[in-house]
Amino acid sequence: MRFERRAHPSRALTILAPICAILLALLLAGGLIAIAGANPLKAYRLILTGAFGSRLGLSETLTRTTPLILTGLAAAVAFRARLWNIGAEGQFYLGALAVPAFCMLPLVSSLPGPILIPLCLMAGAVAGMVLLLLPLGLRLKFGVDEVVTTLLLNFVAVLFVSLMIEGPMKDPMAFGWPQSVPVPDAAILPKLMDRARLHAGLPLALAVAVAVWWVQARSVFGMRSRAVGLNPRAAAFAGVPLGRTLVAVACLSGGLAGLAGAVEVMGVKAYVTTDLSPNYGYSGIVIAMLANLNPLAVIAAALFSAVMFVGADSMSRALSIPSYIADVTVALSLLTMLVAIFLAQYRIRR
Amino acid sequence: AQSPVKVAGIHASPVENAWNSVLHAALLGAHEEGVIDYTFSEGVSGTDYPRAMREYAEAGNVLIVGESYAVEREARTVASDYPDTAFLMGSSGEAAGDNFGVFGTWNWEAAYLAGMLAGEMTETGTVGSVGAIPIPEVNMLINGFADGVKAVNPDATHLVSFIGTFFDPPKAREAGLAQIDSGADILFGERIGTADAAQERGIKAIGSLINYTPRYPDTVFANAMWYFRPLLDTALTDAVGGNPVGKTYTPLSLMEDGGNDIVFVEGVAPPEAVTRMEEVRAAIKAGEFEVPRNFDEPA
Amino acid sequence: MSVLFDILASVGMWEAVLRIATPLILGTLGVLLCERVGVLNLGIEGIMTFGAMIGWLTVYGGGDLWTGLLVAAAAGAMFGLLHALLTVPLGLSQHVTGLGITLFAASFSYYVFRLAVPTASSPPTIEPFRPLAVPFLSDLPFLGPVLFTQTAPTYLALVLVAAIAWGLYRTPLGLAVRMAGENPHALDAQGVDPILLRIGAIMAGSALMGMAGAFLTTAAFNSFFPTMVQGRGWICVALVVFASWRPERALLGALLFAFFDAFQLRLQTVVDGVPYQLFLMLPYLLSILALVLMARRARVPQALMQPYRRGER
Amino acid sequence: MTRVLELEGITKRFGAVTANDDVSLHLERGEIVALLGENGAGKTTLMSILFGHYTADSGTVRVDGQELPPGRSRAAIQAGVGMVHQHFALAPNLTVLDNVLTGTEPLWKPRSDRAGGREKLVGLARRFGLKVDPDARVSDLSVGECQRVEILKALYNDARILILDEPTAVLTAQEAEGLFATLRQMTQRGLSLIFISHKLGEVMAAADRVVVLRHGRVVAERRKVHTSKEELAELMVGRAVKRPTRPPATPGELLLEGVDLHLAGKGGASLKGASFHLRAGETLGIIGVSGNGQTTLAGLVSGLYPPDVGKLLIEGHRPPRHDVPHAIAAGIGRIPEDRNAEGAIGDMTTWENVVLERIWSPDYSTRGLVRRDAARATTEAILRDYDVRGARVDGRIRLLSGGNMQKLILGRVLSADPRIVVAAQPSRGLDEGAIAGVHERLLEARSRGAGVLLISEDLEEVMALSDRIMAIVGGRLSPAIPAERATQQLLGLMMAGDWSTLDDIAAEGVHAV
Ligand SMILES: Nc1ncnc2c1ncn2[C@@H]1O[C@H](COP(=O)(O)OP(=O)(O)OP(=O)(O)O)[C@@H](O)[C@H]1O
Ligand SMILES: Nc1ncnc2c1ncn2[C@@H]1O[C@H](COP(=O)(O)OP(=O)(O)OP(=O)(O)O)[C@@H](O)[C@H]1O
Ligand SMILES: [Mg+2]
Ligand SMILES: [Mg+2]
């Protein structure tokens, strides 16, 4: 048996395959739910209503989609250029930490919101960039594989956050609990609904996704970064400056991951703790791949992942089954989805 | 009898974590007695915590028990959005509104008593404490232990390690072993895992929050127990009775009110040490002695 | 200074090094086997979690310790098979599949654990592996207690290092494994199916990862709880690079890392005023430094992360 | 004679392409059969089926009368079939011995017999005159040595039938000659050979019998003694092909001058003081045994890396920076040595491949944005003017055949009207028809007044196209000789580094101009 790439993947398959994947994932998860003694059919209904069925569910789903779009984009732009940035998690944290840190500077916190908010977002993006430029520098200078360094730096970043929020950035009003000083109210992103967490980060993330898509598809930089990823030797022959292009890619990727952290802290939590991210950075990688590295598809993939998680999480509470089922369902659907996307592109031959 | 009250628990850690297990056990106990109808979520990260609160509130729970340490601000926002639901949260902050009550984990008195035993028992003159993260409640506990030791043995050395996380028993164990290597012969295990090190090296250990003696029969000879049931019952009565829950329930953690106490194995500590400790214990219960409260990070 | 010396001269410190190193040795060997046939396996973190859970659960349910280890290895191999099927015949992105498996295996472990042990208010325990003194050798001064009073799986890990080194460099199978990671086309041209070989090696490597996890719950500790693997799997991925994909250096790397870890725990007890996070960062930063120093000499398997599809160009 | 091998009715389809269409072929003991055909004719596919690498849709393979199970390389090897692949199947990080031993012993043996293996390998190497160091790492070997390792691999498996897929594509003339001498010797020891080649000269020199494939079918079979180069070329392409001839040169002003260039090798050999000059309207051919610095020289002139010492003057000036965009802007057109690895990005579209190296120019981008319409228009013109088949403007070029890929690259380079053309191995691996096309284009550029720097290991090509010829040896360039004086022997001496007679010839050349 072997697989042969389809010259022209059919449209029907491209749509049908992911649907089959979701169904299969739900079927598998249903089995696990049944083992826990609950009714899978009821569980399916609860997943749907949990994610969409109420104002709360909908707003929570979209709130969770927001950072996932940005980390998904971070991975997508890096992977396009074959820059294996597994460090979005750490970049997310540094980006988040940069916001209160920036606001601690003298005079900054007295700025009005319309000025302060963009500055804070930028601070987050820059922090993320810096954390990715370091491993990139090691790769360019010493040839150190960035898969490993970015992975390890995630731990360093979280420990650094921990160091800061127990040290110089510790919130004196937080009763000694390790958390950063809060972001000033002026820098908090406006809420989109009252009595819910949904915030202006969502439209921002959507706009960023469109912008990234446009840059990737239309700009010289986008073309060069793709060339570097697909065939670095040929790119060099065509005069694409490898180092500079990768640096730019790293700035964009790290910047997006950092931005995700900044948006999360400015939109949802207002201060930084070491459990700010439930693996947003790692999930971003899978989301990027589900989206086939297409920035617009990242939106859909992020939404999908959020729906699965919020729905399954709420279902687990409603049915009193272990809440870990939410992560199981998301992971299952990611795996089946990967296979489905593959099968839509290949045909099986004997 | 009346039908059970709907109560939800939201645990940031898995319910194995000692602190959560105290809440969880109390809640399960009440559930089995038919007092409450208990559902829970565990391992809920900071990001998901407010959603869990909202969902349980919308599901009609009368009382929601949990911990708002990592989400103080958001938890209070949620409570204000759901005024008809009562919240009882482990918190280092103040109560808020009519429906957001808080409690602290104050078993430092029991730790002080355990420290008195340890101070008299140590042969090397060195004891150790393994803690999670230096937050006030943990500091207070470890300081309480250290003060107890110093009270009977002013020359004793007290080693402190923090493992940087709330739940990593093997790490706590390694930290304990490191302290033993540095001369400690009694360990105070603010974190689970510490006693494993003591057991392995054949020295004694002291537990915190729950009774570790059955688990380490020859190792853990004393425990600084903390009891949640008094807190739960009081808050439940308030919530059902329509009284505002928005107050501080911490005093119910005091030894005076049966919220914490020492549990120890007879015949391990020298009798005179036990006698001296029992005197202090009685004094605390009678309100005649106050164990110093020190929230600063132990040096 | 003398404080540092005391730490370095203490038997307990070095004994801890070997103990902390054991899961890293097993995990690193596991990653090494996978990468030697050309496949990155970021599933390790999840596979270790599952191994830790299922190994423990087996013993808790009445199995003996070795059965627990074996079940963990078998479970690891099954996840390895999943990873292999997705990355080898299908040739899906290895990073993503690996991360997907980590997400899945970890959450699945917690779910199964919670179903199996529903109402644990203090973590239920098992009777773990006890240190096993090797006759005579354990009486040696210093070395005796450090090297020869470890638990049985630690000895097993050390034996495996030698066995895998032998296997890789001295047997036809090992040569084929190396070739699969260097140039699968060449292997195919010599009549050995690289697909099967890759699948097999990934399963074997993942079995080791499962055992690495089980060590945590059956030897290093005596109960299971969520998030207990704590990034040890990722460390293994780094150690393989540090080790230049060689088993004997993997041992060295694991020991070095464990040394930092054991050392920083002890240093914390004697050095005041330095935030503990700095100590905790130390092993990661030193790993990165080591990677920088080793990078030029490291010989990456040429086909690492390159899917092999017969007859595709 | 006995038939050792018979292929019968082999058909193989890849999607819509029929790579082999009812092909039958046989081989006698001790015979050398040359398999000939255009790029994409189906030669490699046929041999892969014989070797069990692909499974045929229909047809059978018989070795010594025994049918081979389809799709099992192992079985083919055991039956005594050995294959040397078009693209080497070697692991650069492993030693020669490792590469040879892989897969030769039962996998589950607890210990491999390396000593025995080494002995056998050394014995074979001696017997067949294929000298290699068993402990050398393959990455340290030259292409010629890799080729030998590949053959030894097959011999080590006791191959009695050896298949060589374009074995000389990357060898120099001398190396190729040596190889064929070895192959001859092998047939005397009872081996039977099939080799694939595009070089008619060597086919005529080495083969006993020639089989020609076109579009997947056998179109002809000739005994060597009954045919000629011209006939074979025509059979292959289906029409008469003739390589173009070079009209006399009219050299103009000085375009390119390298002065004492030194450059530490970038993955290849170093330059150690190379000097040359190139005038408008002439072709300067540079010959040499691979590994003497031609790749480095081509890279330097192409703008990939600046010299460590010395200077490169373009029309008498040094460009402000030595990089690719400045080289292109200064009028240098570059045909890369390896078209798939350097010349094209298979998963990008045709138009992207065409404009990538000029994307900085205002023709193709404004304010950082790509001018897609302009790029597409240029591409369309190239596809039309250069007769690139099988490519769509918006399609990926992954599936383009070698000849068409080269046409695309030529189009990309020449349509910009470069003053200087650097052509590195421009016809490597191409079939007769495609080569003629490439040569025509290069001559056209020259007559238009461009200077062509031709770096090639193919002597025939260099002699046919160049006005002057230099040899590169150990990073230095010999004095140039006029093409009229070039003979195989003289060029051989030059490449061997014997330049004693050249100065006189060069001096004559000056008088002649
Ligand atoms: N793996 C493959 N998948 C799809 N098509 C293929 C594959 N391999 C070969 N082909 C097709 O088979 C045909 C014959 O290819 P093959 O490689 O056998 O040609 P060839 O005669 O060896 O050419 P060359 O002289 O350039 O090496 C080509 O047209 C090509 O389209
Ligand atoms: N995988 C494939 N699927 C479909 N068609 C293919 C595939 N690979 C090649 N082709 C087609 O095969 C034909 C010849 O391709 P092939 O690679 O054999 O050329 P080539 O001249 O041998 O290249 P090279 O010079 O690199 O050896 C072209 O028409 C090309 O489009
Ligand atoms: Mg071919
Ligand atoms: Mg070819």
Side-chain angles (χ1 to χ4, degrees):
Chain A
M1 188 180 89
R2 66 183 47 164
F3 298 96
E4 200 178 280
R5 208 184 184 118
R6 290 175 201 271
H8 307 286
S10 84
R11 173 142 301 182
L13 255 180
T14 321
I15 295 169
L16 213 64
I19 294 176
C20 293
I22 298 174
L23 292 181
L24 179 64
L26 286 176
L27 203 69
L28 293 171
L32 294 175
I33 291 166
I35 292 174
N39 178 351
L41 292 178
K42 197 168 160 205
Y44 298 149
R45 211 192 62 230
L46 286 168
I47 289 178
L48 272 188
T49 53
F52 296 120
S54 64
R55 203 172 147 283
L56 172 64
L58 191 63
S59 71
E60 283 293 327
T61 299
L62 293 176
T63 308
R64 200 179 177 88
T65 307
T66 305
L68 289 177
I69 292 176
L70 293 170
T71 54
L73 290 173
V77 296
F79 283 19
R80 259 275 145 87
R82 294 275 203 290
L83 174 69
W84 301 116
N85 174 16
I86 314 289
E89 187 78 5
Q91 292 142 23
F92 178 97
Y93 272 107
L94 282 202
L97 190 71
V99 176
F102 176 70
C103 294
M104 281 170 81
L105 296 177
L107 300 180
V108 167
S109 58
S110 54
L111 293 173
I115 299 173
L116 186 56
I117 287 180
L119 286 177
C120 284
L121 293 172
M122 234 142 63
V126 168
M129 279 177 209
V130 170
L131 189 63
L132 184 52
L133 285 176
L134 184 81
L136 177 67
L138 293 182
R139 163 169 157 186
L140 293 177
K141 201 136 184 82
F142 303 102
V144 185
D145 179 23
E146 76 273 13
V147 172
V148 178
T149 44
T150 51
L151 197 57
L152 291 180
L153 281 175
N154 287 340
F155 293 88
V156 177
V158 174
L159 283 168
F160 178 73
V161 168
S162 161
L163 179 69
M164 297 313 279
I165 64 182
E166 286 180 33
M169 290 179 63
K170 184 167 181 159
D171 183 358
M173 311 302 285
F175 328 109
W177 193 262
Q179 66 187 43
S180 76
V181 291
V183 172
D185 284 340
I188 297 288
L189 294 174
K191 293 268 176 281
L192 297 186
M193 290 161 81
D194 56 49
R195 293 187 43 170
R197 298 200 282 178
L198 188 60
H199 55 89
L202 179 68
L204 177 70
L206 293 175
V208 169
V210 173
V212 168
W213 167 78
W214 201 70
V215 166
Q216 288 274 1
R218 293 296 152 88
S219 75
V220 172
F221 161 75
M223 188 159 147
R224 285 185 163 163
S225 68
R226 225 151 26 93
V228 166
L230 290 170
N231 183 345
R233 235 182 107 194
F237 187 84
V240 176
L242 294 191
R244 253 192 298 146
T245 307
L246 281 178
V247 166
V249 169
C251 285
L252 184 57
S253 171
L256 285 164
L259 183 67
V263 165
E264 186 70 1
V265 81
M266 291 161 67
V268 174
K269 195 147 180 188
Y271 52 84
V272 181
T273 57
T274 50
D275 73 344
L276 184 67
S277 158
N279 286 342
Y280 282 142
Y282 297 109
S283 306
I285 293 169
V286 187
I287 283 169
M289 204 51 81
L290 284 182
N292 216 350
L293 307 187
N294 178 332
L296 292 181
V298 161
I299 299 173
L303 180 66
F304 166 70
S305 168
V307 165
M308 285 321 243
F309 184 85
V310 172
D313 189 42
S314 143
M315 174 273 291
S316 78
R317 266 189 278 283
L319 293 181
S320 294
I321 66 174
S323 43
Y324 302 114
I325 191 69
D327 280 321
V328 174
T329 313
V330 174
L332 272 177
S333 40
L334 293 176
L335 287 175
T336 52
M337 194 71 108
L338 284 175
V339 177
I341 292 174
F342 172 85
L343 289 180
Q345 284 170 356
Y346 282 76
R347 86 173 84 235
I348 302 172
R349 299 244 302 181
R350 65 160 179 93
Chain B
Q2 352 159 276
S3 61
V5 185
K6 274 184 84 169
V7 176
I10 311 176
H11 304 279
S13 299
V15 291
E16 275 83 6
N17 184 28
W19 188 89
N20 299 85
S21 80
V22 173
L23 268 64
H24 189 60
L27 287 157
L28 276 180
H31 179 81
E32 268 145 35
E33 289 163 22
V35 179
I36 63 172
D37 177 10
Y38 170 55
T39 52
F40 71 99
S41 282
E42 62 178 326
V44 181
S45 78
T47 310
D48 300 324
Y49 208 94
R51 177 170 70 255
M53 290 174 72
R54 287 178 192 271
E55 278 184 5
Y56 278 134
E58 298 210 342
N61 284 285
V62 176
L63 177 66
I64 295 175
V65 179
E67 49 195 305
S68 62
Y69 297 105
V71 285
E72 300 285 11
R73 182 189 280 243
E74 284 188 275
R76 286 169 174 78
T77 313
V78 174
S80 71
D81 283 345
Y82 295 92
D84 298 335
T85 309
F87 294 85
L88 175 62
M89 292 278 150
S91 166
S92 310
E94 300 295 316
D98 276 346
N99 64 334
F100 192 85
V102 295
F103 63 90
T105 313
W106 284 12
N107 59 337
W108 93 111
E109 295 162 320
Y112 181 90
L113 298 178
M116 289 181 69
L117 295 182
E120 303 225 30
M121 286 167 65
T122 175
E123 284 164 18
T124 59
T126 303
V127 297
S129 297
V130 176
I133 293 178
I135 61 160
E137 289 177 279
V138 171
N139 295 342
M140 175 183 182
L141 188 68
I142 290 177
N143 288 329
F145 173 75
D147 289 340
V149 172
K150 295 266 148 90
V152 297
N153 186 351
D155 300 329
T157 312
H158 177 229
L159 307 174
V160 183
S161 314
F162 289 101
I163 57 171
T165 153
F166 282 92
F167 197 58
D168 189 353
K171 193 141 225 165
R173 172 168 168 275
E174 290 299 343
L177 288 176
Q179 293 190 341
I180 298 170
D181 288 342
S182 306
D185 66 349
I186 297 182
L187 296 185
F188 176 55
E190 194 272 324
R191 282 298 118 182
I192 181 163
T194 320
D196 294 81
Q199 186 177 43
E200 193 180 319
R201 294 294 174 80
I203 66 162
K204 297 292 177 201
I206 294 162
S208 175
L209 295 174
I210 59 173
N211 187 353
Y212 285 99
T213 305
R215 195 181 156 107
Y216 308 95
D218 299 321
T219 304
V220 176
F221 69 97
N223 297 280
M225 301 292 291
W226 177 59
Y227 301 107
F228 185 66
R229 195 59 195 268
L231 281 160
L232 174 65
D233 287 344
T234 313
L236 207 55
T237 314
D238 287 340
V240 175
N243 299 326
V245 177
K247 59 188 181 192
T248 301
Y249 289 86
T250 310
L252 294 166
S253 267
L254 296 179
M255 197 177 281
E256 257 187 290
D257 299 290
N260 82 86
D261 207 345
I262 185 169
V263 165
F264 63 101
V265 181
E266 300 285 348
V268 177
E272 14 1 306
V274 174
T275 317
R276 267 219 261 175
M277 185 275 288
E278 288 287 11
E279 281 167 15
V280 178
R281 186 185 188 186
I284 297 173
K285 283 191 176 164
E288 289 158 8
F289 176 72
E290 199 168 321
V291 178
R293 295 178 199 176
N294 177 0
F295 292 99
D296 300 335
E297 182 169 342
Chain C
M1 267 299 112
S2 82
V3 169
L4 290 185
F5 183 78
D6 285 348
I7 294 178
L8 291 177
S10 82
V11 167
M13 154 92 193
W14 292 101
E15 197 191 305
V17 168
L18 212 57
R19 188 178 47 239
I20 297 174
T22 302
L24 298 179
I25 296 171
L26 290 169
T28 307
L29 288 177
V31 178
L32 186 142
L33 277 184
C34 296
E35 296 196 0
R36 271 289 181 164
V37 290
V39 178
L40 182 72
N41 191 347
L42 294 184
I44 178 171
E45 185 78 9
I47 295 175
M48 279 180 75
T49 308
F50 196 82
M53 191 281 296
I54 202 75
W56 179 88
L57 195 61
T58 306
V59 180
Y60 183 68
D64 75 16
L65 287 164
W66 287 106
T67 313
L69 226 49
L70 215 67
V71 169
M78 289 329 285
F79 279 108
L81 179 63
L82 178 62
H83 185 61
L85 288 180
L86 295 180
T87 53
V88 181
L90 298 197
L92 298 182
S93 156
Q94 299 177 2
H95 298 94
V96 178
T97 309
L99 288 173
I101 284 184
T102 283
L103 291 180
F104 174 65
S107 50
F108 186 56
S109 310
Y110 307 152
Y111 186 73
V112 171
F113 176 71
R114 185 50 77 233
L115 286 185
V117 189
T119 49
S121 19
S122 91
T125 55
I126 58 167
E127 182 59 30
F129 281 103
R130 289 283 167 226
L132 196 71
V134 179
F136 308 117
L137 291 176
S138 57
D139 298 331
L140 292 173
F142 197 77
L143 280 185
V146 170
L147 281 176
F148 300 106
T149 35
Q150 297 284 346
T151 56
T154 299
Y155 301 128
L156 177 66
L158 294 175
V159 170
L160 279 172
V161 173
I164 289 178
W166 173 275
L168 271 184
Y169 297 113
R170 294 276 180 269
T171 68
L173 183 63
L175 183 56
V177 163
R178 285 185 286 149
M179 186 60 89
E182 294 287 345
N183 187 347
H185 298 272
L187 193 61
D188 207 356
Q190 289 285 77
V192 181
D193 186 351
I195 306 267
L196 282 184
L197 193 74
R198 283 186 164 181
I199 294 177
I202 296 168
M203 287 178 70
S206 304
L208 291 178
M209 297 171 190
M211 279 171 64
F215 180 88
L216 294 174
T217 47
T218 60
F221 201 61
N222 56 8
S223 58
F224 174 82
F225 51 88
T227 72
M228 74 180 298
V229 176
Q230 294 269 335
R232 288 178 180 89
W234 307 136
I235 296 292
C236 294
V237 176
L239 283 176
V240 171
V241 182
F242 169 81
S244 274
W245 292 269
R246 301 174 70 100
E248 65 286 358
R249 290 202 202 148
L251 172 65
L252 188 81
L255 289 175
L256 209 64
F257 191 92
F259 168 78
F260 288 135
D261 210 22
F263 192 56
Q264 65 91 3
L265 277 170
R266 283 160 179 78
L267 217 52
Q268 261 194 65
T269 61
V270 294
V271 180
D272 270 346
V274 183
Y276 68 93
Q277 291 94 342
L278 290 181
F279 288 115
L280 293 176
M281 269 184 214
L282 207 63
Y284 298 105
L285 291 175
L286 289 172
S287 290
I288 293 176
L289 183 69
L291 290 181
V292 171
L293 296 177
M294 297 296 287
R296 291 222 186 280
R297 281 185 286 154
R299 215 155 260 158
V300 192
Q302 292 295 297
L304 184 58
M305 299 205 276
Q306 314 264 321
Y308 176 72
R309 292 200 190 93
R310 219 174 189 195
E312 176 166 295
R313 0 189 226 178
Chain D
M1 278 191 143
T2 44
R3 286 197 173 182
V4 288
L5 173 72
E6 279 180 288
L7 300 176
E8 220 173 271
I10 301 285
T11 298
K12 174 76 182 173
R13 285 183 205 89
F14 292 106
V17 185
T18 304
N20 290 148
D21 188 359
D22 192 21
V23 176
S24 297
L25 179 87
H26 69 272
L27 183 66
E28 311 276 346
R29 158 151 309 150
E31 193 186 22
I32 301 185
V33 167
L35 192 55
L36 221 58
E38 284 182 290
N39 294 125
K43 307 177 294 291
T44 301
T45 305
L46 185 64
M47 293 302 107
S48 301
I49 289 169
L50 156 58
F51 189 63
H53 190 66
Y54 289 172
T55 313
D57 297 330
S58 64
T60 54
V61 178
R62 270 195 298 277
V63 175
D64 293 330
Q66 291 283 337
E67 190 170 328
L68 288 186
R72 304 244 328 262
S73 304
R74 190 77 261 171
I77 292 172
Q78 273 159 1
V81 181
M83 178 144 174
V84 175
H85 293 265
Q86 186 169 3
H87 304 284
F88 294 150
L90 296 173
N93 275 343
L94 302 184
T95 65
V96 170
L97 185 60
D98 285 337
N99 271 282
V100 172
L101 283 186
T102 302
T104 58
E105 295 174 286
L107 284 185
W108 297 103
K109 240 175 83 176
R111 188 191 168 118
S112 77
D113 178 16
R114 294 178 70 83
R118 173 191 310 266
E119 208 169 292
K120 181 171 174 186
L121 176 64
V122 172
L124 281 171
R126 189 163 340 104
R127 211 162 101 218
F128 291 99
L130 297 162
K131 214 181 91 212
V132 285
D133 170 9
D135 298 311
R137 286 204 323 145
V138 166
S139 57
D140 297 333
L141 302 184
S142 71
V143 243
E145 288 170 309
C146 288
Q147 181 75 261
R148 271 178 244 158
V149 178
E150 282 281 18
I151 296 172
L152 281 169
K153 253 167 71 178
L155 294 177
Y156 190 95
N157 284 321
D158 302 317
R160 287 169 298 112
I161 299 166
L162 196 58
I163 302 157
L164 299 114
D165 195 348
E166 299 194 31
T168 58
V170 287
L171 298 189
T172 59
Q174 282 94 334
E175 283 174 317
E177 248 166 62
L179 174 70
F180 282 111
T182 312
L183 297 183
R184 272 273 157 238
Q185 199 192 338
M186 288 178 177
T187 57
Q188 274 147 29
R189 292 172 193 267
L191 258 73
S192 318
L193 299 171
I194 300 180
F195 79 94
I196 297 174
S197 177
H198 293 297
K199 298 181 187 167
L200 298 174
E202 62 191 37
V203 169
M204 289 305 289
D208 299 316
R209 194 154 51 91
V210 183
V211 174
V212 183
L213 284 185
R214 195 193 315 151
H215 303 316
R217 298 172 150 277
V218 177
V219 291
E221 193 182 327
R222 297 278 187 279
R223 303 217 67 85
K224 193 245 315 265
V225 289
H226 296 147
T227 187
S228 66
K229 272 202 209 182
E230 290 68 29
E231 189 199 16
L232 290 178
E234 192 171 339
L235 284 172
M236 255 168 67
V237 186
R239 63 188 150 83
V241 272
K242 229 168 94 48
R243 293 199 185 181
T245 48
R246 171 170 54 95
T250 48
E253 74 277 20
L254 189 62
L255 286 182
L256 184 67
E257 190 175 11
V259 185
D260 190 30
L261 298 167
H262 287 256
L263 176 57
K266 304 278 179 191
S270 308
L271 288 184
K272 295 172 184 160
S275 300
F276 67 92
H277 66 265
L278 175 70
R279 296 185 175 279
E282 70 160 358
T283 299
L284 171 63
I286 294 186
I287 55 170
V289 179
S290 87
N292 277 286
Q294 45 272 76
T295 304
T296 311
L297 177 64
L300 189 152
V301 180
S302 300
L304 297 190
Y305 8 80
D308 297 336
V309 179
K311 52 192 174 182
L312 186 73
L313 301 176
I314 301 174
E315 300 188 47
H317 303 287
R318 258 170 119 153
R321 285 179 51 181
H322 191 110
D323 61 14
V324 171
H326 283 92
I328 293 175
I332 298 186
R334 307 146 333 124
I335 298 167
E337 178 177 323
D338 184 335
R339 55 185 158 271
N340 292 311
E342 282 185 317
I345 299 175
D347 278 319
M348 287 177 91
T349 61
T350 311
W351 69 262
E352 285 173 314
N353 271 286
V354 165
V355 300
L356 183 61
E357 67 175 25
R358 298 186 163 270
I359 197 67
W360 43 267
S361 102
D363 292 346
Y364 300 116
S365 67
T366 33
R367 277 185 248 100
L369 293 182
V370 178
R371 296 182 55 193
R372 293 149 64 98
D373 292 336
R376 283 209 185 89
T378 306
T379 307
E380 233 155 282
I382 290 174
L383 295 188
R384 181 171 10 90
D385 299 347
Y386 288 77
D387 187 29
V388 183
R389 302 210 184 137
R392 284 180 305 119
V393 174
D394 282 305
R396 309 193 183 296
I397 62 167
R398 193 162 52 91
L399 300 183
L400 231 50
S401 75
N404 282 306
M405 184 81 89
Q406 194 69 339
K407 283 194 228 164
L408 181 70
I409 291 172
L410 278 171
R412 165 173 94 193
V413 169
L414 298 179
S415 68
D417 247 333
R419 292 283 281 147
I420 301 163
V421 177
V422 185
Q425 322 291 356
S427 55
R428 182 179 271 178
L430 296 187
D431 64 43
E432 212 33 58
I435 292 175
V438 170
H439 286 186
E440 213 165 288
R441 293 295 183 178
L442 289 177
L443 288 174
E444 247 174 54
R446 166 176 167 276
S447 14
R448 236 186 26 231
V452 178
L453 182 67
L454 170 69
I455 301 174
S456 172
E457 286 165 18
D458 183 342
L459 294 191
E460 226 177 296
E461 172 172 80
V462 172
M463 291 201 288
L465 293 183
S466 313
D467 302 302
R468 292 183 300 127
I469 301 175
M470 299 170 102
I472 185 164
V473 180
R476 285 171 214 282
L477 285 168
S478 73
I481 59 161
E484 295 69 40
R485 299 295 305 263
T487 57
Q488 293 273 358
Q489 292 89 328
L490 182 60
L491 295 182
L493 282 180
M494 282 168 73
M495 290 198 289
D498 181 352
W499 300 346
S500 49
T501 56
L502 297 189
D503 287 327
D504 304 336
I505 301 173
E508 281 171 41
V510 172
H511 294 300
V513 169

